[in-house]
Amino acid sequence: MKPSRNGRVTARKAWQGCAFALFWLSGIAAMAVMLAVVGYVVVRGAPELSLSFFTTSPRGGLSGDGGIASTIVATAYLVVMTMAFAAPLGIGAGIYLVEYAGNSRNRIATTFLKLSRFGSETLAGVPSIIFGLFGYALFVTAMHFGFSLLSASLAGACLILPVVVRTAEEALKAVPEGYREASLSLGATRWETIRKVVLPSALPGLTTGIILGVGRILSETAVFYVTLGGSYRTPTSVLSSGRTMALHVYYLAMETRAFEKAMATGAVLVILIIIVNLAINAVSRRLSAGSRS
Amino acid sequence: MTRKGAVESAMRTVLLCAGLASLLIVAMTGIFILREAMPAFREVGVWRLLSGSEWRPGQELYGLLPMIAGSGLVTLGAVCLGLPIALGCGIFLAETAPGWIRGVVKPSIELLAGIPSVVYGLFGLVVLVPAVRGFDYPGNAGFGLLSASIVLAVMILPTIASVSEVAIRSVPDEYRKGALALGSTRWEMIRTVVLPAARSGILSAVVLGLGRAVGETIAMIMVIGNSVMMPSAMGGPLPGIFLSRARTLTGNIAVEMSYATGLHSSALFATGVVLFVLIMLVNSAARALMARNAGGGRG
Amino acid sequence: MADTVPRLRTAGYNLYYGSFRALRDITIDIPENSITAIIGPSGCGKSTFLRSFNRMNELIPGVTVTGKVLLDGEDIFRADVVALRRKVGMVFQRPNPFPKSIFDNVSYGPRIHGTRDRGVLASIVERSLRDAALWDEVKDDQQKSALALSGGQQQRLCIARALAVEPEVILMDEPASALDPVATMRIEELMQSLKQRYTIVIVTHNMQQAARVSDFTAFMMTDGFRAGNLVEFGATKQIFTTPADSRTEDYISGRFG
């Protein structure tokens, strides 16, 4: 820095320059890390990606032969089953909290509201392996479902329930109060109001919650590691053991040491997650566009 | 009208049950894990579980101290590495980034948050572990706290960056205008007005990141080595401790769950209880900080 | 007033938010086929009072009421709330059409109450839109989103939506306060034509509007305990020219002066 009459101002500007340069670096570093991880996995996995990779199942053994067909099937079953448990429960809980308990001064309802908010906040912070333990103790062992899609999807539902409840609550709270008042003043009951006016308006927000849940199930490994068993065969019933794509990556990397196959499976997962993120952005963009028009 | 009334009260009940279910799940998670952990607490004792430095299920020795140290150190390492960059990103996105670059960096961070932990573990296993193995240090095998800290630093970056971005954004614009009107540079404004005003929000972002770090399982198993041992610097300078292998509390559960029986299994549930309590402490700290932030914002 | 039949009547009506009394001891007879305006300073409870007639206050946690509110001599708190709100329609301060088409907005009420036939619905929609003086503007585009209408059109749509369930009474809570003068004038004209068939109660903070449109005026004010009560009720002409209570005169002259 050249000395000048405005030396102090120059020095202050220089500090600002340094600080802002560091912020730029941080932002670029975050982007670089993302590109490095995604790029590395996709580039190293790409040679393995072919049609047969998606249509053949792993053959087991130590070579890591075969594709990922059965893991795609298991992942799809697991996502559908988990959402079948979690979506109605979570959205139902959200509706109760916002539309009924929130409008009541009844002692029981308000206590319930507090407890249930505490419940879903607590659940949201619990590490997934704890749900694995819980699922193992309750579903695998105590209820004798064994290592199965059923056990895993129940444990998975517990894991994503808080996400679904919270996004449902937010989506419902964003529905203007005027819609409810208008509907009620026309003689609709609470439930008619919810079904015909509130839920349709909250649909994009509710969808976001569901997609977030799907993303969470796709990427979760720890819970399914201790509840799903890990068989690479195509599941045939809800009591079948199975292996999700994420679990398959783990087994390929840690047991088979078939890194190329692991990278390829990881690349498929990352691409799915990118699609999930794009979907969420698209829905929320439609959401904000809808509320403006 | 009576049919409507019946539908109305039926739906109310159904929805109430859905609400109750989420409560029930929390209660059941707690109850089940505690119940399964009881034998270990009774037979080993809480203090010996927490302070014992030996974990040898074959000899009925159940001490969690090495895993507590492992979880603690790897979290510390991750925070040291990740926090500066994460906060830098938060400030960058909220205050100084031009629109176009924000439009690239923000989705990058969202994607970082979405990448499955098994993919981070894989990346760590294939790229970081061999790189760390390059350091010439006694006992260094690449697997260990340093590799795990780097992986974890990347995993907590998006949490801290996006929560602190929101905290910084929620600082009222009047504060900024006030500082600028007094002749501050933009950086002085950020440092003296915006960051102090967003302080508790940023703190809770850090605490949330801590929670995520302590709870991470799969990526840790893949890179930390999983040896049950007190991390040590192997006689070298103290930072050398990060080249030591270790095991986290979460890893302890996941690695041994599938074959544990009897007291061993119960001790793993006890590990879960310790983890749960740790996370609850971290989370209630976060909630207290956020409540204070909200209160301060109104006052 | 003796020659008109009271349609709505309250007697010794009190309303509490928890332990706070917001309305004190209100007794009023609102005549049929007329427009009654409720005026008073802000915070005097006029909107809360209006919402008593269709029990909308029940949506607010902690509200309790004592005393009587009668519609055609029947206690509204004993009646089924759905049936009551069908008879007592409401138009809100801010236009609040549903994010649906014009047709779906107007047909919402009849559908809820069990009309399924498309042809019947279409004729109800047409009649309601005509009555709300909106038909000519939207008849060719009834599938258009209601949110695309102007503020004044939206408010007339809300009136049409209320008319579609064939109410006997229409409550209007400052229906023109969010509208420009031209749209306000149209709403006022509409009210004049509606009063032939409906009993209208309107809350307004605009005294000129009360003087222009209403047949009867109720003046409310808060007492020393911040509870709203009815100071004076009578023919609009009398209230605005020779008020019986000095507080009414102060309020009216203060506002005009």
Side-chain angles (χ1 to χ4, degrees):
Chain A
M1 284 294 133
K2 278 186 226 158
S4 76
R5 273 189 303 170
N6 281 334
R8 290 211 41 191
V9 173
T10 315
R12 286 164 60 194
K13 289 245 168 89
W15 275 118
Q16 159 151 320
C18 291
F20 282 17
L22 284 176
F23 299 152
W24 268 91
L25 271 180
S26 308
I28 290 168
M31 210 166 65
V33 168
M34 186 280 289
L35 287 176
V37 175
V38 173
Y40 187 86
V41 171
V42 170
V43 168
R44 272 201 68 182
E48 294 285 337
L49 293 176
S50 62
L51 190 62
S52 67
F53 184 71
F54 292 96
T55 54
T56 56
S57 290
R59 277 185 214 109
L62 287 176
S63 62
D65 277 350
I68 56 169
S70 64
T71 70
I72 295 176
V73 173
T75 308
Y77 280 156
L78 195 66
V79 165
V80 170
M81 285 175 69
T82 307
M83 292 323 294
F85 292 123
L89 216 55
I91 293 175
I95 296 175
Y96 184 78
L97 290 175
V98 175
E99 304 291 328
Y100 290 95
N103 285 310
S104 174
R105 271 272 278 265
N106 180 319
R107 252 290 210 14
I108 299 162
T110 46
T111 315
F112 177 73
L113 188 68
K114 275 192 209 134
L115 273 177
S116 140
R117 192 144 292 150
F118 172 78
S120 65
E121 271 174 24
T122 310
L123 279 183
V126 171
S128 57
I129 188 70
I130 299 266
F131 289 102
L133 263 181
F134 170 63
Y136 178 82
L138 180 61
F139 307 125
V140 177
T141 315
M143 295 174 90
H144 301 288
F145 295 153
F147 292 109
S148 64
L149 281 173
L150 185 59
S151 300
S153 57
L154 287 168
C158 299
L159 177 76
I160 62 165
L161 197 57
V163 181
V164 182
V165 174
R166 215 178 264 190
T167 45
E169 269 191 273
E170 262 155 41
L172 293 167
K173 276 188 199 151
V175 175
E177 203 49 41
Y179 293 175
R180 296 186 183 89
E181 284 187 335
S183 172
L184 291 168
S185 79
L186 290 167
T189 63
R190 266 254 170 233
W191 172 242
E192 283 167 338
T193 302
I194 293 167
R195 191 163 58 87
K196 299 232 163 96
V197 180
V198 178
L199 286 183
S201 312
L203 198 61
L206 297 173
T207 315
T208 308
I210 304 283
I211 305 174
L212 274 172
V214 170
R216 196 78 206 269
I217 296 301
L218 280 179
S219 53
E220 180 56 42
T221 317
V223 170
F224 305 137
Y225 184 61
V226 294
T227 53
L228 190 53
S231 158
Y232 54 79
R233 295 203 165 76
T234 308
T236 50
S237 83
V238 293
L239 290 175
S240 293
S241 168
R243 190 186 273 200
T244 63
M245 283 188 267
L247 259 182
H248 190 51
V249 175
Y250 178 80
Y251 285 117
L252 285 174
M254 297 298 282
E255 288 177 7
T256 322
R257 301 260 149 192
F259 292 133
E260 313 302 322
K261 294 267 183 187
M263 293 286 172
T265 314
V268 174
L269 260 183
V270 168
I271 290 164
L272 281 177
I273 293 293
I274 292 175
I275 293 172
V276 164
N277 277 13
L278 288 177
I280 291 174
N281 282 342
V283 172
S284 54
R285 208 169 313 125
R286 255 194 59 193
L287 187 69
S288 51
S291 68
R292 230 172 284 129
S293 76
Chain B
M1 286 307 154
T2 47
R3 193 187 62 86
K4 278 194 176 188
V7 172
E8 180 73 14
S9 62
M11 280 319 298
R12 200 192 163 95
T13 314
V14 167
L15 295 168
L16 173 70
C17 292
L20 276 172
S22 74
L23 259 183
L24 199 68
I25 287 169
V26 187
M28 288 222 302
T29 315
I31 291 168
F32 252 79
I33 291 173
L34 265 180
R35 202 193 71 176
E36 299 284 321
M38 259 349 257
F41 283 127
R42 222 178 299 115
E43 287 179 36
V44 183
V46 176
W47 178 243
R48 276 183 49 213
L49 259 174
L50 290 176
S51 66
S53 57
E54 301 276 347
W55 175 276
R56 285 189 203 133
Q59 297 164 32
E60 304 279 285
L61 277 174
Y62 300 105
L64 286 174
L65 198 58
M67 281 65 103
I68 295 174
S71 282
L73 280 171
V74 77
T75 303
L76 179 74
V79 169
C80 289
L81 292 171
L83 187 61
I85 299 178
L87 284 185
C89 282
I91 301 171
F92 183 62
L93 289 177
E95 293 286 335
T96 69
W100 65 271
I101 189 136
R102 188 172 185 279
V104 200
V105 173
K106 180 115 180 117
S108 300
I109 288 177
E110 279 167 8
L111 185 54
L112 274 182
I115 293 177
S117 51
V118 71
V119 172
Y120 283 117
L122 181 64
F123 184 80
L125 184 66
V126 177
V127 178
L128 291 175
V129 168
V132 171
R133 201 178 286 140
F135 288 113
D136 187 21
Y137 196 84
N140 177 20
F143 291 98
L145 287 168
L146 180 59
S147 305
S149 295
I150 297 172
V151 169
L152 209 48
V154 176
M155 296 183 71
I156 63 174
L157 189 152
T159 311
I160 300 180
S162 42
V163 179
S164 58
E165 186 204 342
V166 171
I168 294 167
R169 266 181 197 284
S170 67
V171 173
D173 242 6
E174 284 69 33
Y175 292 12
R176 294 187 182 82
K177 286 180 192 146
L180 291 177
L182 290 169
S184 307
T185 63
R186 296 239 304 139
W187 163 237
E188 285 161 345
M189 166 201 92
I190 294 171
R191 188 168 53 85
T192 58
V193 178
V194 177
L195 292 184
R199 190 186 53 219
S200 41
I202 293 173
L203 263 172
S204 65
V206 175
V207 178
L208 282 176
L210 282 180
R212 183 151 186 218
V214 175
E216 177 51 39
T217 311
I218 285 291
M220 293 299 96
I221 307 180
M222 293 172 82
V223 295
I224 206 168
N226 296 323
S227 315
V228 184
M229 53 184 273
M230 281 304 282
S232 84
M234 315 271 178
L238 194 62
I241 201 169
F242 278 98
L243 291 170
S244 171
R245 288 165 175 259
R247 179 185 280 195
T248 61
L249 287 165
T250 52
N252 196 40
I253 301 170
V255 168
E256 299 189 1
M257 198 66 233
S258 49
Y259 58 85
T261 52
L263 189 60
H264 182 195
S265 162
S266 175
L268 294 180
F269 280 92
T271 312
V273 173
V274 172
L275 186 62
F276 194 91
V277 171
L278 219 71
I279 294 281
M280 289 306 287
L281 286 177
V282 168
N283 279 350
S284 35
R287 213 169 306 150
L289 288 172
M290 278 200 247
R292 227 177 62 185
N293 196 27
R298 248 177 270 123
Chain C
M1 254 163 63
D3 54 340
T4 52
V5 189
R7 183 106 228 206
L8 279 170
R9 157 178 283 181
T10 70
Y13 180 68
N14 295 282
L15 182 140
Y16 302 83
Y17 290 113
S19 58
F20 170 68
R21 174 141 77 168
L23 294 177
R24 182 174 60 83
D25 200 18
I26 299 180
T27 300
I28 193 170
D29 284 347
I30 290 173
E32 194 172 29
N33 293 354
S34 63
I35 299 176
T36 300
I38 304 176
I39 61 168
S42 43
C44 71
K46 46 191 194 298
S47 285
T48 306
F49 183 51
L50 186 76
R51 285 162 165 259
S52 297
F53 294 116
N54 63 346
R55 291 172 57 184
M56 287 298 271
N57 289 318
E58 285 172 17
L59 303 177
I60 302 162
V63 164
T64 49
V65 299
T66 62
K68 279 204 159 34
V69 180
L70 306 174
L71 170 66
D72 297 329
E74 308 255 350
D75 185 347
I76 66 166
F77 297 107
R78 293 236 188 95
D80 181 83
V81 69
V82 167
L84 170 72
R85 288 182 186 154
R86 201 177 165 171
K87 281 192 224 160
V88 183
M90 187 162 206
V91 177
F92 297 83
Q93 185 168 2
R94 304 200 132 268
N96 56 356
F98 301 127
K100 299 169 184 281
S101 70
I102 293 169
F103 184 90
D104 286 348
N105 261 281
V106 181
S107 61
Y108 180 86
R111 269 193 206 151
I112 287 284
H113 297 298
T115 308
R116 293 269 180 276
D117 185 279
R118 188 89 192 163
V120 176
L121 285 174
S123 69
I124 293 175
V125 169
E126 176 174 349
R127 177 180 49 78
S128 308
L129 286 170
R130 278 187 193 283
D131 287 351
L134 191 60
W135 176 251
D136 292 334
E137 289 156 66
V138 302
K139 65 180 172 201
D140 300 322
D141 213 358
Q142 293 179 59
Q143 293 311 317
K144 191 165 76 171
S145 167
L147 300 180
L149 297 173
S150 73
Q153 288 174 320
Q154 286 189 4
Q155 194 62 301
R156 276 179 281 143
L157 178 70
C158 292
I159 293 173
R161 185 175 64 184
L163 295 177
V165 295
E166 298 175 26
E168 296 163 15
V169 178
I170 302 172
L171 309 173
M172 295 186 167
D173 190 355
E174 304 196 21
S177 65
L179 305 180
D180 63 56
V182 176
T184 302
M185 212 180 68
R186 300 210 58 172
I187 300 276
E188 288 180 5
E189 287 166 7
L190 178 57
M191 288 170 67
Q192 292 304 329
S193 71
L194 290 175
K195 80 169 182 189
Q196 318 298 328
R197 282 172 292 151
Y198 304 95
T199 304
I200 297 175
V201 186
I202 174 176
V203 161
T204 176
H205 62 264
N206 178 334
M207 275 184 297
Q208 288 96 326
Q209 185 173 55
R212 273 196 307 269
V213 301
S214 71
D215 305 303
F216 301 95
T217 297
F219 173 59
M220 285 178 68
M221 227 176 113
T222 48
D223 61 15
F225 303 98
R226 294 192 294 130
N229 64 327
L230 182 65
V231 174
E232 189 170 353
F233 177 59
T236 298
K237 212 172 194 173
Q238 175 254 315
I239 295 275
F240 279 89
T241 52
T242 54
D245 195 293
S246 62
R247 287 169 295 174
T248 315
E249 186 166 14
D250 288 348
Y251 180 71
I252 287 167
S253 57
R255 277 297 190 87
F256 279 139

